[in-house]
Amino acid sequence: MLRLSLVAAALLSLGEGVLATLQTCGSAQYDPSQYVCWGNQFLCPVTAGEPLSYCAGACYSKFMYKCSNNVLTLLPAVTTPFQLVVSNPTLPIDGQPVTAGGQHWNLGGTTSSYCPTQVGSACPAGTSTSMVASGGSVSMNVMVPGGQQAYLDPYWNMGYTQAHSAYIPPGSITTGFGAYQGGGFVNLNGNGWGWVACPPQASGGGGTQWNLVAKNSTNAASLSSCTAINLKIIPVPSGTFGAWQYT
Ligand SMILES: *[C@@H]1O[C@H](CO)[C@@H](O)[C@H](O)[C@H]1NC(C)=O
């Protein structure tokens, strides 16, 4: 299986007229842009720009798992609010935050928020976007009564409710999210196809903003211009809010 995909990768490179510089891992040869070699013995793929780690026979993502005493375990759930940043070193938006705007999670760009003047000095800065997760659900880290629930909309983009409204578009999904301490924010719906970042003009995107889309078995083909990413969790202190409300 591994050997077959290595051959396929080599042929692909030849077809493009660019033969990748192969390295050796034990007796195997590999393309270091696609695989990482552990202990001169084990190959793990690079996915979403992350060279997967190795634990007793398994390759794993540090955005979701840890390896302790050769046993792979899920990272603990994050218990504080958090911000999210894009992780994929091959993209220009690597390290840029997920920002709330237009009831939508965008990649990069600026946070859109509002605070009524009556709230005065109690208004949070509202310049960064943070979330809270619990029990598989995620909501915006806001002060407004009723909160703002986040969800996968019918296009598998991430959206959130308007302040003072519980309206969620029919066909949206509000559960099945994992938020891991020291790791990432993961969509567990649709068998783990992961997140992609779509460049501004690509399908699934709109306007001038990079867009976040959750990939699945049916939309994967239409997202070929998008690139797999991880969303890294940056914890913020408990009891702090990102905004009064996001707009
Ligand atoms: C995948 O996402 C698309 C939207 O991009 C949605 O219409 C479809 O129902 C989803 N497929 C599955 C298997 O959930």
Side-chain angles (χ1 to χ4, degrees), residues 103-166:
Q103 290 178 255
H104 190 266
W105 288 16
N106 300 303
L107 301 176
T110 53
T111 293
S112 300
S113 66
Y114 168 78
C115 190
T117 47
Q118 312 88 277
V119 179
S121 60
C123 283
T127 49
S128 64
T129 299
S130 57
M131 299 82 171
V132 280
S134 93
S137 296
V138 60
S139 41
M140 308 312 289
N141 182 30
V142 290
M143 290 177 81
V144 67
Q148 292 181 283
Q149 172 141 33
Y151 53 84
L152 266 186
D153 75 14
Y155 304 101
W156 283 44
N157 289 205
M158 286 298 290
Y160 54 90
T161 57
Q162 209 162 15
H164 313 294
S165 167

Side-chain angles (χ1 to χ4, degrees), residues 154-156 216-219:
Y155 304 101
W156 283 44
N216 66 37
S217 56
T218 46
N219 69 15

